[in-house]
């Protein structure tokens, strides 16, 4: 939702910030789930999908935000 709200403006900077915020929320969710499960920090295999998706979407939005017509 955070990423979508900031991408709706059509501004590359806001879109990239939205994707970074969305990635941070995903990573914090994975960390919180690991903490609730009894671990101090999640394994890299648990964090990798959120980080890879976040980096890919941030690069995609920085390359060009689709126009809303």
């Amino acid at each position: 939702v955070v990423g979508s709200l900031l991408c709706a403006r059509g501004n590359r900077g806001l879109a990239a910030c939205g994707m970074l915020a969305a990635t941070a929320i995903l990573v914090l969710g994975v960390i919180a789930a690991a903490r609730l499960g009894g671990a101090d920090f999640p394994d890299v295999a648990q964090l990798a999908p959120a980080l890879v998706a976040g980096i890919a979407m941030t690069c995609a939005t920085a390359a060009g935000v689709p126009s809303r017509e």
Side-chain angles (χ1 to χ4, degrees):
V1 172
V2 171
S4 177
L5 287 174
L6 291 174
C7 284
R9 303 289 295 172
N11 182 337
R12 284 186 188 179
L14 282 176
C17 287
M19 290 301 110
L20 289 173
T23 302
I25 291 169
L26 286 173
V27 169
L28 289 174
V30 171
I31 292 171
R35 298 285 301 210
L36 289 173
D40 287 336
F41 197 76
D43 293 331
V44 175
Q46 294 171 328
L47 282 175
L51 290 174
V52 169
I55 291 168
M57 292 309 298
T58 302
C59 291
T61 56
V65 177
S67 62
R68 309 273 187 219
E69 294 182 30

